[in-house]
Amino acid sequence: MQQAEHIFIIDDDPINKMVLTNILSEDHTLFHCEDHAFCIDEVKANRTDLIILDVAMGNGSGFTILEKLKKDASTYGIPVIVISGSVSFKDEARGLELGAVDYITKPFNPLIVKTRLKNHLAIKKKNDLLEKLVSLDGLTELPNRRRLDEQMRALLTGSEAAQGCFSIMLVELDFFKTFNEHYGYMHGDTCLFKVAKALEETAARYSVFIGRFDGTRFALVSAQHDIDTVTSIAQSLHDAVNALKIPHIASPICAHVSVSIGAVHIEQHKTLELNELIKNADSALAEAQKQQSTIFIKQI
């Protein structure tokens, strides 16, 4: 069953809210707010697919709210339909210039409101899909390196602000070049996909972000787990790949596909550059590979 879109109505006129509720409640999940001081926080607190905003609110704050919504990175992409009793071309132009996707004048025509809403929700759905595809690795369907880097920077910044812990784990398939040479690249791609899914399922259990780092490596990043939990996560990742039992007779260390895992962990945040932390994780991975299909965690 398709989930109903979430429509957030910002309006202090009870008649407007009643009319819009009657028009939209059958097909959509509605949220309401009439206090201009809190409406943006409430939009952020709820999953919002589209906003209907009355720019002629009693306190004259409608255009100010629109401007703030479009300046905030977390609400910028939410389409806003402006409603107003004004038929002034200047008001309509101002709303559109501030970032509204549409301008509907009162009194409402239910058919027009529904149709315009449907069109803008369809456009948003397509834009969301494109944004998702841009952030995904085509082979493994995990977040790609661009998305991974964004998440690592965001979590590192949050860790620094909270003076908390931070970890990066690099996971690499052992002797994957010989796997491709022996079984062929088509089987290699299938193997990468299966390993990615096993790692993803394990990461999800611990609420850890995972992405494809490069060709045969995956990266996991966390800003919430202590060293003992990071060690448990690494072991679970290692075990999850072993459990796949993907044959690899060309491997000199194991009869099936295996991984080596290197991690860097900060227990209490220190001011370090992301590139420096990645280098530490890379050197930890090299140490794990030297010991052959093992886990090596470097604590800073």
Side-chain angles (χ1 to χ4, degrees):
M1 183 177 178
Q2 187 175 3
Q3 193 173 17
E5 295 95 343
H6 288 204
I7 310 300
F8 204 103
I9 300 171
I10 303 174
D11 197 336
D12 60 1
D13 185 332
I15 296 178
N16 286 346
K17 288 193 291 183
M18 181 184 69
V19 172
L20 289 169
T21 298
N22 289 338
I23 294 172
L24 303 173
S25 60
E26 185 177 343
D27 301 316
H28 308 286
T29 300
L30 303 182
F31 298 91
H32 298 88
C33 182
E34 59 185 45
D35 191 330
H36 69 97
F38 300 106
C39 61
I40 293 179
D41 289 337
E42 290 195 26
V43 167
K44 293 179 182 179
N46 294 279
R47 180 176 73 80
T48 304
D49 296 304
L50 185 142
I51 297 167
I52 297 177
L53 169 65
D54 186 354
V55 292
M57 293 174 72
N59 53 24
S61 62
F63 283 116
T64 302
I65 293 170
L66 176 58
E67 192 169 13
K68 287 181 179 178
L69 286 167
K70 292 304 172 182
K71 284 184 177 179
D72 191 314
S74 61
T75 57
Y76 172 83
I78 303 173
V80 179
I81 294 178
V82 163
I83 58 173
S84 175
S86 171
V87 294
S88 165
F89 292 131
K90 287 184 179 180
D91 285 342
E92 182 173 357
R94 186 182 178 194
L96 297 174
E97 285 172 357
L98 289 175
V101 296
D102 210 338
Y103 187 97
I104 301 176
T105 56
K106 295 180 272 189
F108 304 122
N109 180 303
L111 184 59
I112 293 296
V113 172
K114 281 187 172 184
T115 302
R116 291 192 180 184
L117 203 73
K118 179 182 177 181
N119 290 342
H120 290 300
L121 286 169
I123 292 169
K124 182 181 185 294
K125 189 176 293 185
K126 288 179 182 178
N127 288 339
D128 288 348
L129 178 59
L130 286 172
E131 181 65 28
K132 182 179 179 181
L133 291 174
V134 166
S135 299
L136 287 182
D137 173 65
L139 174 60
T140 63
E141 297 178 2
L142 292 177
N144 59 19
R145 181 60 186 270
R146 172 192 165 203
R147 180 72 184 95
L148 177 62
D149 284 348
E150 290 173 352
Q151 189 68 11
M152 285 195 288
R153 289 192 187 94
L155 288 175
L156 183 60
T157 299
S159 170
E160 184 173 9
Q163 290 293 298
C165 53
F166 182 81
S167 307
I168 296 175
M169 283 177 270
L170 290 179
V171 182
E172 182 164 15
L173 280 78
D174 298 316
F175 299 97
F176 197 64
K177 183 175 182 292
T178 59
F179 183 95
N180 278 330
E181 290 171 349
H182 182 83
Y183 294 99
Y185 287 95
M186 185 178 296
H187 286 290
D189 287 350
T190 301
C191 173
L192 270 175
F193 180 80
K194 288 180 178 179
V195 169
K197 292 299 119 181
L199 296 175
E200 185 179 30
E201 288 174 7
T202 304
R205 293 205 304 270
Y206 293 93
S207 299
V208 174
F209 187 89
I210 181 173
R212 190 176 184 186
F213 188 77
D214 56 22
T216 59
R217 293 192 293 181
F218 304 90
L220 296 92
V221 58
S222 169
Q224 60 179 317
H225 297 302
D226 59 23
I227 185 67
D228 291 335
T229 306
V230 169
T231 303
S232 297
I233 294 170
Q235 189 61 56
S236 296
L237 294 166
H238 199 274
D239 294 345
V241 176
N242 282 341
L244 294 174
K245 298 293 183 184
I246 301 173
H248 187 358
I249 62 173
S251 170
I253 62 171
C254 191
H256 58 263
V257 169
S258 61
V259 293
S260 296
I261 301 174
V264 60
H265 177 77
I266 305 171
E267 194 63 37
Q268 186 170 4
H269 188 84
K270 300 176 183 179
T271 303
L272 294 169
E273 295 292 328
L274 180 58
N275 288 340
E276 185 179 353
L277 290 168
I278 291 174
K279 285 180 182 178
N280 276 278
D282 193 46
S283 67
L285 176 60
E287 186 63 34
Q289 290 170 325
K290 189 187 298 182
Q291 298 174 23
Q292 298 192 338
S293 189
T294 60
I295 298 165
F296 188 87
I297 300 174
K298 181 184 290 188
Q299 186 168 358
I300 299 177

